[in-house]
Amino acid sequence: LLTKEKRKAGLRGKLDKCYSLLDTATCHLENDEIDKAKKLYLECREAYIKLSDEEKAEIYNKLEKLYNSIKAR
């Protein structure tokens, strides 16, 4: 069985993954690589769904900003 610390580390890993995907997608968007940015946005959204409510609240605005930036292109 996973210890409480390991479970927390795993959950934090999911949030870190979301941040990493957001950063990379934003870089692709800045370089006009829209398809790559869209793909990473979708991956990030899938990871986002698995986050806790608190973690979702932490990253929601950044995810929404990326979505709106992609949509505007």
Side-chain angles (χ1 to χ4, degrees):
L1 296 175
L2 291 174
T3 64
K4 188 175 183 179
E5 292 80 22
K6 286 184 181 177
R7 283 194 306 265
K8 280 187 173 182
L11 290 174
R12 184 66 203 185
K14 290 177 187 177
L15 183 60
D16 290 342
K17 180 181 178 180
C18 280
Y19 275 116
S20 177
L21 290 167
L22 279 173
D23 289 343
T24 306
T26 300
C27 287
H28 285 304
L29 196 58
E30 289 170 354
N31 292 322
D32 291 323
E33 298 170 326
I34 310 304
D35 289 338
K36 289 180 182 180
K38 283 182 183 178
K39 182 180 180 218
L40 291 175
Y41 165 78
L42 292 173
E43 286 182 41
C44 186
R45 198 181 82 197
E46 287 298 315
Y48 170 86
I49 292 168
K50 298 174 185 173
L51 298 176
S52 70
D53 289 343
E54 183 178 305
E55 291 169 321
K56 286 178 181 176
E58 180 179 330
I59 202 166
Y60 177 80
N61 289 336
K62 292 172 180 65
L63 188 61
E64 182 182 38
K65 182 178 178 182
L66 176 62
Y67 170 80
N68 289 330
S69 296
I70 291 171
K71 188 177 173 184
R73 300 273 177 128

